[in-house]
Amino acid sequence: MEKSFEPAQIESKWYARWEADGCFKPTGQGDPYCILLPPPNVTGTLHMGHAFQQTVMDMLIRYRRMRGDNTLWQVGSDHAGIATQKIVENQLAAEDTDKHALGRESFVERVWQWKEQSGSTITNQMRRLGVAADWSRERFTMDEGLSAAVRKVFIEWYRAGLIYRGNRLVNWDPALGTAVSDLEVNNVERDGHMWSIRYPVSGSDETVTIATTRPETMLGDVAVAVHPEDERYAHLVGKTLTLPLVGREIPVIADDYVDREFGTGCVKITPAHDFNDYDIGKRHGLEPLNIFTLDAKVNDSAPEKYRGMDRFEARKAVLADLEAEGALVETKPHKLQVPVSQRSDAVIEPMLTDQWFVDLTSDTLPDGHPGGRKAITEPALEAVTSGQINFVPENWTTTYTQWLENIQDWCISRQLWWGHRIPAWYDEAGHIFVGEDEADARAHAQTAPVGALRQDEDVLDTWFSSALWPFSTLGWPADGPVKNERGEVVANWEQDKIFLPSAVLVTGFDIIFFWVARMVMATKYFVGEAPFRTVYINAIVRDAEGQKMSKSKGNTLDPLDLIDGIELEPLVAKSTKSLLIPQVRAKVEKRIRKDYPDGIPAIGTDALRFTFAALASYSRTINFDISRAEGYKAFCNKLWNAARFVLMNLPEGEIAAPAGVPVTEAERWILTRLKQTLTEAEQHFANYRFDHLAQSLYAFVWNEYCDWFLELAKPALQGDDEAAASSTRRTLLDVLESVLRALHPIIPFITEEIWQSVAPRLGLSEKHLMDRPWPDAAAIDADTQASAEIEWFKAVLSGMRKIRAEMNIAPGKTIPLLLADGDASDRTRAAKFATQIAFLGRAETPVWLDADTEEPAAAAAVVGNLRVLIPLAGLIDLDAEKARLDKEIERIGKEIAKCEGKLGNARFVDNAPAEVVEQERQRLADWSAQRDALREQAQRLGA
């Protein structure tokens, strides 16, 4: 082993070897265990959320593989319709051309070219993270096999009456010219205004006042609504108002949706441009009036004066005309949530358009067959309520079920060129024909087409193909092997369907609706299985202060910058290059220079992964602090140095296992603690408590193996008892090798590197660490007696070291040591460990004080009934020792108060397991005894 731990050299070496040796492919042995990677956008780059989520998945895959399961981590990427098309359109614009000049076929070819050149960025970055994914089975949502699955699903649902084309209100991006999903819309708080407008009651001098944040949409008003129990307006219900600027008569209607306390209690109803108004309009049979073109300009349904105006230009004109007519009552500032397109930054316009939908809400179709609610939605709901699928944490079950219980039909069409083109054709009479291709569509036609057929121009929502990910990636619906463009087999449904249901889906809460629920719907319908058994909802990564990471705040972190390190100036340039507003750019630069004056030091992949594991609790968000990651790099260094110490203390060649049980109590103690730690680790994996897993392994390695066992081993290694030395060397090596296996799912690179030096010394034949089985806690013998002995010794030595540290006694100075009180077992143990106490505690041989011997002024540590005394003469400041005792007595008092609080709580005493209550009572007794002994010691010193 090299003298120092250098992550970069290790990481670049091992991942290439693992992949080349096929370490990530299913073994074909053991129970199937599959994880589906949420397919990242082909346009994407690795961000902190990806890195955190993929660390969790990788820990699970490596662990289950070492447990003997037949593991598959199914990976791939999403074609990301809008994002990918926008990138290529921007390239064309830079070349002074556009997609229309190329034509659809040439444009799609250009996108494929971009994908081949730039689409592997994120998958290469994932390799840097160490993911144990089977890259030989990598899929792409536009590859031929997945495209075949998309066509089959669309056609089957259409022919079952579960997909239809209709005119409905959707989120419309006027800049991109397409419908978008809710997930692609950001609700941004902006400063706006609330305008109050007076509407005259027809045939009367009376008026009503409505308040609106979008006065331009009044041109499309079809009613004004009031609450049915609002006495102020009861007399107006059923009458009409005259719409200002337009002159059209619109009715006053009563609807429970109206909030009487908000504004004036009168609400303008514009069903064609507001989702709530659309629902109200449907309830009251109101015909929507669309006043905008698809590029958000006023159309011919509005008065001629406003036609052709952009919607925001029209707003100004409408307000000016209202004021001129005396109809504008009031203008006041108002904070509002504005829906903004994630992709174009354009303000989203609710728009009535012809789109394709999946029916998720009807109970029965006109032909008597089950509608979407019965055929698709309810089976997906039942999969969770019956326990086929479990959410971790469990509270996300409610989010899932509430959404499905209130679901709307799913808009699946997008007005793009890049994506799965909808397999539907129209004849010259407007009839629809659906099939694999035009010939298949004609063959399944119920009536003969009129004239030529033309294919629908739209493509399917990206989430449509993603919904099929659990089974399409495994080869469905092909009858045999599915090959990629290079002719390599990537799936075979008959063989690979053993991986369905997959074991666990690791994903964020923001796509429970858009992806998780839809995968359940599609998989239950087409395969009759749940797509996965568990859904683990990972937390969202925020910065160290708990703020959402944002480029405009300057608090984003690139995982690769943490792994490799980056100097200040490149970090500033990287963080500000995409910021166009000078004030924002200056603010971000200032923050970067303040937070990272020396840039970001390299911490390596393993330390980053350990940090993510330690943060992976059940909380909704986690705060990432670089200083904590630096702490886990120190852990990696500690492990490295411990391994070097062990190896340097070994003779040449293989270290044989001695016959019988380990010779020393220290060995039997560390093996007992290893058994306990492995048992805890297995439970933490089962409960998805990766934070507890990291904490447990960290504590064992750092505190018990490195800090204690390496020290406890030194007397045996340096002593004259060859049996003890030989046994200790083997135990040092055995425990180290088990620790490397236990840590491997979290920190794979350093554990592999160390293991390669350890394995030959144990005669192990496996090529890689992940080929070794997970260490079997059940195979380790526990020795509770040896553990009790060593814990006593540790307590004595810890007490001595604490006094040394707090009293600033030089580490190399040999100190006198007195023992007082205690019982027969303390005397036996003191005699047994006298040499080790003196050796490791830098002390003289312990001397017992008889009851009648005058006790010198001394600093004391309490171990049960035993007092460990270090005489003050020539060593310790008396006042400082009094202060130390007072501080320790205060600390123990707080522990006593905690115990008394628990035991004084009737709910705890009545409901906690009996052994837990008894353990708390014993803790109280032990703390009380320690406090009493320290108080006596303080009295002896005159405190």
Side-chain angles (χ1 to χ4, degrees), residues 674-907:
L674 175 63
K675 179 186 182 77
Q676 294 166 346
T677 301
L678 292 174
T679 302
E680 291 170 7
E682 290 168 17
Q683 192 59 49
H684 298 325
F685 265 119
N687 294 334
Y688 300 93
R689 286 309 302 257
F690 305 106
D691 54 337
H692 293 171
L693 170 70
Q695 182 182 7
S696 181
L697 292 174
Y698 181 101
F700 176 80
V701 173
W702 188 293
N703 300 335
E704 295 176 307
Y705 185 74
C706 295
D707 283 358
W708 280 109
F709 186 55
L710 296 190
E711 290 296 308
L712 294 172
K714 288 176 182 177
L717 294 175
Q718 298 171 14
D720 299 327
D721 186 340
E722 180 51 36
S726 176
S727 179
T728 297
R729 282 193 288 267
R730 177 67 190 210
T731 301
L732 278 166
L733 206 53
D734 280 338
V735 175
L736 175 60
E737 200 270 342
S738 294
V739 159
L740 294 174
R741 284 187 278 159
L743 283 169
H744 182 72
I746 306 177
I747 48 175
F749 292 107
I750 186 174
T751 50
E752 180 76 75
E753 179 73 14
I754 296 172
W755 185 84
Q756 293 293 334
S757 296
V758 169
R761 315 309 298 276
L762 290 170
L764 302 176
S765 59
E766 290 90 348
K767 188 172 184 179
H768 294 288
L769 175 52
M770 75 173 71
D771 298 331
R772 291 280 289 150
W774 173 263
D776 183 5
I780 302 172
D781 293 326
D783 188 331
T784 54
Q785 180 58 38
S787 294
E789 297 294 295
I790 295 298
E791 291 299 338
W792 179 91
F793 170 69
K794 284 173 58 188
V796 170
L797 208 58
S798 295
M800 294 169 61
R801 288 173 171 174
K802 188 173 184 182
I803 292 171
R804 271 186 177 276
E806 292 180 351
M807 296 296 104
N808 293 316
I809 300 172
K813 185 175 182 61
T814 301
I815 57 174
L817 185 65
L818 304 176
L819 302 176
D821 303 334
D823 54 26
S825 66
D826 290 317
R827 288 182 176 268
T828 302
R829 286 166 169 167
K832 179 168 64 176
F833 290 112
T835 303
Q836 289 96 324
I837 290 172
F839 180 82
L840 295 175
R842 298 275 184 158
E844 298 171 1
T845 302
V847 175
W848 279 92
L849 285 178
D850 295 329
D852 56 355
T853 302
E854 183 178 351
E855 188 175 309
V862 178
V863 179
N865 295 319
L866 174 69
R867 286 186 299 122
V868 181
L869 306 171
I870 298 177
L872 301 177
L875 288 176
I876 297 172
D877 180 289
L878 185 61
D879 290 335
E881 173 57 9
K882 290 177 180 178
R884 187 189 73 83
L885 285 173
D886 288 342
K887 186 176 179 182
E888 186 67 2
I889 290 167
E890 181 182 1
R891 183 186 72 82
I892 291 174
K894 291 177 181 177
E895 296 294 339
I896 290 172
K898 288 180 188 176
C899 293
E900 290 174 338
K902 283 187 177 180
L903 293 170
N905 184 339
R907 288 181 62 187

Side-chain angles (χ1 to χ4, degrees), residues 43 102 142 148 246 325 337 378 430 517 716 877:
T43 57
L102 261 67
M142 286 280 286
V246 179
E325 285 191 5
Q337 295 291 319
E378 289 184 358
D877 180 289

